[in-house]
């Protein structure tokens, strides 16, 4: 399994475990599926405007909407994972670094979305 697939698999499993922890702690359901939807919306904007899109004010406005919509959700998810590190790590005892890997992966997604303002 390649690194990208491994990270996606790890991320998906940790997010499922995080959602289970959330549901045990809260009566209100939270959806963690947003993290893939954010990237999907980002690429939709990028594909709509094409190469050298950063020169377009419309492109920047649409990318900014994606950032404003998803960055707070990513930040909240990252904080939730950090706050529940012990429980999440316990679910994967053979991979002591899984929580750090997922936090880094999610943080990189935020940076990638922000970077799209400049490409």
């Amino acid at each position: 399994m390649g690194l990208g697939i491994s990270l996606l698999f790890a991320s998906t499993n940790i997010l499922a475990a995080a959602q289970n922890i959330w549901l045990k702690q809260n009566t209100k359901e939270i959806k963690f599926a947003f993290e893939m939807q954010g990237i999907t919306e980002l690429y939709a904007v990028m594909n709509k405007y094409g190469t050298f899109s950063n020169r377009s004010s419309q492109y920047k406005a649409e990318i900014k909407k994606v950032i404003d919509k998803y960055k707070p959700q990513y930040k909240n998810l990252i904080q939730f994972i950090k706050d529940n590190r012990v429980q999440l790590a316990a679910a994967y005892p053979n991979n002591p670094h899984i929580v750090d890997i997922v936090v880094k992966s999610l943080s990189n997604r935020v940076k990638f979305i922000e970077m799209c303002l400049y490409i």
Side-chain angles (χ1 to χ4, degrees), residues 83-103:
D83 291 347
N84 292 279
R85 171 183 296 278
V86 173
Q87 290 170 288
L88 291 167
Y92 300 93
N94 293 333
N95 191 346
H97 304 291
I98 188 124
V99 173
D100 294 328
I101 291 168
V102 172
V103 167

Side-chain angles (χ1 to χ4, degrees), residues 66-98:
V66 173
I67 292 169
D68 292 345
K69 181 177 179 181
Y70 290 102
K71 185 177 179 178
Q73 293 181 65
Y74 275 108
K75 295 293 185 184
N76 289 338
L77 177 56
I78 290 166
Q79 190 58 52
F80 181 81
I81 290 171
K82 287 178 178 179
D83 291 347
N84 292 279
R85 171 183 296 278
V86 173
Q87 290 170 288
L88 291 167
Y92 300 93
N94 293 333
N95 191 346
H97 304 291
I98 188 124

Side-chain angles (χ1 to χ4, degrees), residues 6-17 35-36 92 102 109:
S6 296
L7 288 176
L8 179 62
F9 181 74
S11 180
T12 302
N13 285 338
I14 282 286
L15 294 178
E35 57 104 16
M36 291 306 287
Y92 300 93
V102 172
R109 289 182 191 166

Side-chain angles (χ1 to χ4, degrees), residues 57-71:
S57 60
Q58 292 170 321
Y59 167 84
K60 286 184 178 184
E62 287 192 43
I63 291 292
K64 185 80 170 101
K65 284 181 189 177
V66 173
I67 292 169
D68 292 345
K69 181 177 179 181
Y70 290 102
K71 185 177 179 178

Side-chain angles (χ1 to χ4, degrees), residues 15-84:
L15 294 178
Q19 187 152 340
N20 287 335
I21 291 169
W22 172 267
L23 291 173
K24 288 177 185 174
Q25 295 175 358
N26 299 280
T27 56
K28 183 178 156 188
E29 186 173 354
I30 186 171
K31 300 287 186 193
F32 291 142
F34 77 86
E35 57 104 16
M36 291 306 287
Q37 184 61 35
I39 298 298
T40 301
E41 288 183 26
L42 175 73
Y43 276 107
V45 173
M46 292 172 70
N47 290 332
K48 178 179 176 182
Y49 289 95
T51 308
F52 304 114
S53 299
N54 68 337
R55 297 181 182 145
S56 164
S57 60
Q58 292 170 321
Y59 167 84
K60 286 184 178 184
E62 287 192 43
I63 291 292
K64 185 80 170 101
K65 284 181 189 177
V66 173
I67 292 169
D68 292 345
K69 181 177 179 181
Y70 290 102
K71 185 177 179 178
Q73 293 181 65
Y74 275 108
K75 295 293 185 184
N76 289 338
L77 177 56
I78 290 166
Q79 190 58 52
F80 181 81
I81 290 171
K82 287 178 178 179
D83 291 347
N84 292 279

